[in-house]
Amino acid sequence: MKLLQRPLIAITSLLLLAPATAAVAASAPAASPRAAATTVQAPAYDVTIKITEHGIPHITSDTFEGMAYGAGWATMSAATCNLMDTLLTARGLRSKYLGADATFQDNVGGSGTNLQWDTLVTDLHDRQVVEKLLANKVTGPTDRAKAMVVAETAAFNRWLTENEITDPACADHEWIKPDITTTDVWYAFYLAQLISSTTRLLPQITSATPPATKAGANPAAKPTLDGWTDFQEQDFGSNATAVGGDDTSTGRGMILGNPHFPWLGRYRFTQMHLTVPGRFNASGGALTGFPAINIGFNRNVAWSHTVSTAYRFTPYQYTTAGTPTSYKTPNGTAELDRRDVQVQVKTDDGVETVTRTLYRTGQGYVLSAPSLFMPWTATNFWAARDANAEHLRAFDTFLSMGMAGSVRDLLKRQDRGGGMPWVNTIAADRKGDIVYADHSVVPNVTDEMANRCMTGAGRLIFSQSGLPGLDGTRATTDCKWGTDKDAQRPGILGPKRLPETFRRDWVMNANDSYWAPNDKVRLTGFPRIIGCEDCERTMRTKVVMAYVRDHLKQGKETPATLASHQHANRVYAAEVARKGGRLDQICAATGETEACQILHDWDGRSDATSSSGAAIFQEFMYLVPKAGLWEVPFDVKKPFTTPNTMSTSQPVVDAMAAAIARVEAKGLDKTYGELHHSGDRGSAGWPLGGGLGDTTGDANAVSSTLGDPVLDPVTRGSSYIQAIAFLDKGGVKARTILTYSQYENPTSPWSDDQTQLFSEEKWVHVPWTANQIEHQLVDTIHLTGN
């Protein structure tokens, strides 16, 4: 039986299937010791899934558990291989089945060998981190969330029991079985919370070993600050703009949201519409495996997220006490917690057990991070405390937000949830109110505390990164994270210390700090650990602002004009570089006459139909040294027009020559879309507009992770995009596009259809009302289970 993988034909089939728990029990092997404590008899589920065009599921049940059951079924159908790979990681079993040495990248910053991932995750299991959080009434999930995960897990297993996997990426993988436990799912949720913190530090954690001699660290590991530049450059990001009733033609709120996420792997979105009549009704994008809407809309509120500049952890520096594994505390000497972790590893001779060792203090894992100025020497070492490692609240937070009635209600729900892990929130509502807020999980480290507690080395780290390096000797006394009365739990900043602005004009964010949510508003006086103030904005921030600001000079934003900004494809850095003829001067100095004429004639857009001049400029900005690129530096009094005036120095000219050579090798006579095309698994290689984002000032950020970010196939960037406008009489105008399409399986007709639409700069008019769903209906699935 192959459900949810049908061609796009107008059929309706009512499928009454066997009880879910019976199917799972018959096929699942004995539960592992880890899973035994969470094997739960599933309650009754009754859910209807209506599939509309492009494979979008509209899932309805009378209970939240039933809704989660339907979401689990639909997600496993659309993303079988990706979801199972995610759960394999959450089990700490990558090395057992895929080998120890292969590199696994989550494509949002976490990168390491399978053995490194398994070492960390197995230690989390050994310490029963998630199990303890599940039992905690403050830091753990609600009973409703737990019940939903039981239901989702049952659906995962049922789908695997009753369906043949046809995706060639994992069709023959022996480890894919219907033996998923709720513990597996919760560990997957937990790891998703850690992507800006613990898993970002994966190599530094898993390579941490005591220095071999009293002389200190190996000379090859001389500490530097060089790594902080790369550490602060996130591999993912987003844009979002909310326009309030004062600036819209409708007098109601509108939003354009575009998260820039991977097109491959765990952090893809699936699109779904979830309904419990009278209690929950929201549509949007969900990260693989989440039975809730992460970015989306309901009848009254639409919201999106952008990755925040706030830090989720703080490093603590400890002074050793005679040996590299002992350290000083206010109460005397303590020994590091040595964690000998046993990992199963696939070899030519079968599966062997390998032991790797991690070290911890009471605050967190010890690091070996000389490039971040945090080496392990004979006299001191560093350990990181991670705020997102201390809760399991993200699922509850997103679920509650889906029931919000206004932007103020949305933020209150977010604050009560206490689990917004690493993103800003931008939202608009039916009344015309809008909000920008960074109410994410942030360690409660005020500037006063940071100044009091930073070590000498910690101040150097702070000067480079804005992250305070604190005194570990006092980590449990006066340098312990603070507690705010309005925070959901101790240790994190409460809402009153976090930036927000409610308005009726417009706000935006494109991954710069909270300081300037539009061209007039300044948010100041917040702890530095959240982000910088009076600081430079990226070219992407400037172009996202320019779209709205320039349009409002002509008139109010309409639903159509706001949506049109997605594919306007202005290249803001080129607009600045061309002033005074600087870009032409730089190109002329290369002597490349033909290429320079193409660059001169280029329309200044990153449209698929633009000339190869777009590719030349994208490559040039990728290759050019950033230091000294602009002759007029950033001026805090002119944050949106500085820096400017591009340098014509020889290194800049050399970068232009190199860029031309790269494009010339591919063909100067080609269009940008012929040089820049989709590269997700199974894609036909559709020509794409958009560019490098921050580097070039493209709001439509799409690039490659395969080598050359411009000329190799696109594998990251614009993902689940939505343009939502609230209309009169309860109406919602919803334009969406899932750039890499709903299904990963290349044999599905829904694996590349939306990518083609994205290439053609078209939208999906996603159905919202019952009548709209019926009009686009492709298939109906009815699931019942006990």
Side-chain angles (χ1 to χ4, degrees), residues 261 266 280 407 449 456 503 719 726 745:
F261 265 61
R266 191 261 182 266
F280 190 97
V407 293
M449 175 185 163
R503 310 187 59 76
S719 56
F726 294 104
N745 185 351

Side-chain angles (χ1 to χ4, degrees), residues 595-768:
C596 291
Q597 188 63 51
I598 292 172
L599 184 63
H600 175 80
D601 294 341
W602 167 49
D603 62 6
R605 307 276 172 168
S606 56
D607 289 331
T609 56
S610 295
S611 73
S612 64
I616 292 172
F617 186 78
Q618 297 281 334
E619 284 284 353
F620 164 64
M621 290 299 293
Y622 170 63
L623 296 171
V624 70
K626 303 306 182 286
L629 179 58
W630 305 101
E631 293 180 358
V632 177
F634 172 71
D635 182 346
V636 68
K637 296 180 181 179
K638 302 176 182 179
F640 308 116
T641 57
T642 58
N644 61 49
T645 312
M646 183 169 275
S647 168
T648 58
S649 65
Q650 192 59 46
V652 177
V653 173
D654 292 344
M656 178 63 76
I660 291 170
R662 288 191 177 197
V663 178
E664 191 171 37
K666 297 284 187 177
L668 287 172
D669 59 337
K670 293 183 177 180
T671 64
Y672 183 52
E674 291 174 312
L675 298 167
H676 186 248
H677 51 83
S678 59
D680 57 308
R681 193 164 59 87
S683 177
W686 301 104
L688 296 180
L692 295 180
D694 289 354
T695 304
T696 54
D698 282 275
N700 185 16
V702 284
S703 61
S704 179
T705 59
L706 304 178
D708 187 313
V710 180
L711 300 177
D712 282 334
V714 167
T715 56
R716 69 177 173 192
S718 300
S719 56
Y720 168 73
I721 308 170
Q722 61 174 19
I724 309 298
F726 294 104
L727 308 176
D728 291 340
K729 299 180 181 179
V732 180
K733 180 68 174 179
R735 296 175 171 92
T736 70
I737 194 76
L738 188 60
T739 58
Y740 36 69
S741 305
Q742 178 78 350
Y743 275 63
E744 287 190 281
N745 185 351
T747 68
S748 168
W750 298 321
S751 72
D752 203 30
D753 55 327
Q754 291 196 63
T755 313
Q756 180 180 359
L757 293 178
F758 181 59
S759 170
E760 297 168 353
E761 300 185 355
K762 295 178 180 178
W763 294 92
V764 171
H765 294 275
V766 66
W768 170 246

Side-chain angles (χ1 to χ4, degrees), residues 334-412:
E335 283 290 323
L336 285 174
D337 179 14
R338 176 182 172 128
R339 309 288 308 169
D340 291 324
V341 183
Q342 294 185 331
V343 178
Q344 293 179 291
V345 173
K346 179 182 180 181
T347 71
D348 292 340
D349 299 323
V351 176
E352 298 179 359
T353 299
V354 172
T355 301
R356 289 291 182 267
T357 302
L358 305 177
Y359 294 88
R360 288 181 56 84
T361 70
Q363 305 307 308
Y365 287 106
V366 176
L367 311 173
S368 176
S371 69
L372 301 176
F373 213 72
M374 293 188 291
W376 190 345
T377 73
T379 57
N380 63 76
F381 62 84
W382 296 80
R385 181 179 176 186
D386 183 350
N388 274 327
E390 299 177 1
H391 74 95
L392 198 55
R393 298 283 304 166
F395 174 35
D396 274 295
T397 301
F398 283 111
L399 183 68
S400 180
M401 288 172 63
M403 294 178 273
S406 67
V407 293
R408 291 184 182 275
D409 185 31
L410 184 87
L411 196 58
K412 286 179 181 178

Side-chain angles (χ1 to χ4, degrees), residues 68 139 162 219 225 238 299 316 319 335-336 343 347 355 384 388 390 396 420 433 468-469 471 506 529 547-548 579 722:
T139 58
E162 299 180 352
L225 291 164
S238 303
R299 186 178 184 275
Y316 279 97
T319 302
E335 283 290 323
L336 285 174
V343 178
T347 71
T355 301
N388 274 327
E390 299 177 1
D396 274 295
M420 186 52 60
D433 293 328
D471 184 355
W506 61 277
I529 196 170
Y547 282 137
V548 179
K579 291 181 179 179
Q722 61 174 19

